[in-house]
Structure formats: C-alpha cells, structure tokens
Amino acid sequence: MDPLLLAVEWWWIAPVAAGGVAAGGYGLRRRSRRSGRRLEYDAARHDLKAAQQTSVERRMSVKLARADVARIAAERSARRATSDQLAGAKRILRAKENDAKAAAADVRAKQVRVNAARAAIPAASEPRPLERLHAQHEALVARWMRYETDPALQISYPEMTDVKQPATAEYLRAAGRAVEARRAADSAAAPAEFAAYRDAVSELERAFEAAEYAARVRAGEAPQSTSAWQDAAQDMLSRSAEAIDRAAGAAASALAAWNDRKRPDKR
C-alpha cells in the first residue's frame, strides 16, 4: 500500500492516543481527588495560596506606610505636621513591617506543609487523610473522657471537669468548634473545609494539653515542661562550657606552639 495513503488513512491514531494518555492521567487525578487521597495535599495548597495572598497584601501595606512616613516627614519639615504625628507614622510602619515578616514566615511554613502533604499522599490501601483526622479527633476526645469516667482521675484532677476553670472552659469551646468543623468537612470534603477541620483539631489538642497541664499544676504536681526546660538549659550550658574549654585548649596549644617556634635552637 502506498505509504502516503497509509499515513492519510491512519493520521488520527497519534492524536487520539495522546488524548487518551492525557485523559487517563486526568482521570487518575480526578479519581484521586474524589477518593479523598489528595485532600490533605489540596488543603495545604489552599492554605499556601491564602498565605501568599496575605503576604502580598502586607508587603503593599508596608510600602504605603513608608510613603506615609515620607509624606509626614516632609510636612514636618514644612511645619505642617507635628513630631507626634511623625512618631505615630513610624510606629505604624514598624508594626506593618513586623506583620509582613510574620506573613513571609507563614508562607515558608505553608510551603513546608505542602511538601510534607505531597510526600504523605496515601496509597490506595491506606487510610484517607479525613479518616486519619477523624482518628486524631476521636483520640483526643477519648483522652478527655478518661477524666470524665475514671473516678480516680476525677479525684486527682477535679479541675479537668470543672467548667469554671478557664483552661477547661477553653477546651470545651474548642471541642465544640471541632465538632462543627467535622460536620462541615464530612458534608463537603473540600480542601477549605478539610483545612478548617484540621486546624480545629490542632486547636483542640493545644487546648487539651493546656487544660491538663493546669489541672496537674493545681494538683501539686511538678510541671513536666519546667523540668524539660531545665534539662534543655542545663544541656545547653554544658555544651557551651565544653565549647569554651575546647576553644581555650586550642588557644593554649597555639600559643605554646608559637612560643616554641620563637625560641632559639639549642643544638
């Protein structure tokens, strides 16, 4: 058969094959999203985009604040503004600069989370991110319920169930927010709702740790974090002392070598 006619007759194979590969890849990504395997990764990307937008806005605020300082300084030179107004504008500029630095740090942290979430996309046989978050949430509730149901813990740490205690009241508020966020995430299963639920569970964990710490302090137990801090400080001091000793030894050795080199040869 004429090669030209063959090429004309089968010209559609390559585009269709390429389209099939692309459609297959898109279908895999779409099934991955629908199955929830990429939910944590998509939520991390959602957070990064929001953090980047905030960082851009705060950098713009810094530029405007700097322009305001320059304007008021010029007016101060022309005696149309007071020194207090200039000082106030400079304070606002410093606050805006600190906000911009915090936003930039948040962007870097969110980028780390994106990288970690990309690496942690589960296999088809592993629990989905929402399932893992459910397990984390339920584990926190189970830790709390031990103080509600164990008579020995109730006697030892009564503040854990006393809603008049600020830390306990804050835990209960965080628990309510986590429940609401879970309902929204379960009904929508979208990145924004998952991110809100993830943050609510993290807030719940912090609130529980704070309530438990406060209850143990009121029970007369030595704060564990204090001893850990003291151990870390002692370790840092020890390492610093060792570094100083090593530096002093090295300096002494160098000085001795220099003196030996300056002595005349006795041979």
Side-chain angles (χ1 to χ4, degrees):
M1 186 174 182
D2 190 344
L4 180 60
L5 294 178
L6 182 63
V8 171
E9 189 167 352
W10 296 95
W11 64 269
W12 51 271
I13 290 181
V16 170
V21 171
Y26 175 76
L28 287 174
R29 290 194 298 271
R30 185 175 182 182
R31 285 196 297 272
S32 179
R33 288 192 177 94
R34 292 178 63 182
S35 67
R37 289 170 54 199
R38 290 169 51 96
L39 190 54
E40 186 172 4
Y41 173 56
D42 291 338
R45 293 176 59 195
H46 171 272
D47 290 346
L48 176 60
K49 185 176 180 180
Q52 289 170 336
Q53 180 63 34
T54 299
S55 182
V56 169
E57 293 172 356
R58 291 186 179 178
R59 287 200 303 269
M60 182 59 66
S61 296
V62 169
K63 292 180 180 180
L64 294 175
R66 284 175 181 164
D68 202 32
V69 168
R71 176 183 60 80
I72 295 177
E75 291 181 353
R76 176 74 178 85
S77 300
R79 301 180 183 276
R80 290 197 298 268
T82 65
S83 57
D84 289 341
Q85 289 175 323
L86 181 58
K90 289 181 177 179
R91 285 195 298 271
I92 292 173
L93 172 59
R94 287 193 294 270
K96 298 292 185 183
E97 289 173 339
N98 290 334
D99 289 343
K101 290 178 181 178
D106 189 46
V107 169
R108 292 192 294 271
K110 293 296 193 300
Q111 183 62 63
V112 171
R113 172 170 277 179
V114 167
N115 296 336
R118 182 191 295 113
I121 293 176
S125 59
E126 295 177 347
R128 301 296 187 262
L130 190 57
E131 295 171 351
R132 293 200 301 261
L133 196 55
H134 284 166
Q136 182 183 354
H137 186 186
E138 290 159 6
L140 286 169
V141 174
R143 289 175 65 187
W144 166 260
M145 289 303 299
R146 289 180 60 236
Y147 291 96
E148 288 276 4
T149 58
D150 190 331
L153 290 177
Q154 288 180 349
I155 294 172
S156 300
Y157 311 106
E159 286 80 6
M160 281 296 287
T161 54
D162 185 0
V163 296
K164 295 180 181 179
Q165 298 298 325
T168 302
E170 178 56 34
Y171 167 80
L172 294 174
R173 286 191 290 268
R177 290 191 291 267
V179 169
E180 292 299 322
R182 177 170 180 161
R183 290 172 180 167
D186 288 347
S187 62
E193 284 74 17
F194 178 87
Y197 181 35
R198 178 203 61 209
D199 293 343
V201 172
S202 297
E203 181 185 355
L204 179 64
E205 184 175 14
R206 290 191 295 268
F208 176 83
E209 294 294 341
E212 190 175 51
Y213 175 80
R216 291 181 180 275
V217 169
R218 285 182 173 273
E221 297 181 1
Q224 296 178 359
S225 60
T226 302
S227 61
W229 179 86
Q230 290 174 345
D231 292 342
Q234 184 61 41
D235 182 68
M236 182 180 67
L237 290 174
S238 299
R239 291 176 182 272
S240 299
E242 292 174 1
I244 292 172
D245 289 341
R246 288 195 300 270
S253 299
L255 181 60
W258 174 259
N259 291 333
D260 290 341
R261 191 172 62 177
K262 290 178 64 178
R263 290 174 184 169
D265 192 355
K266 296 181 179 180
R267 293 181 297 174

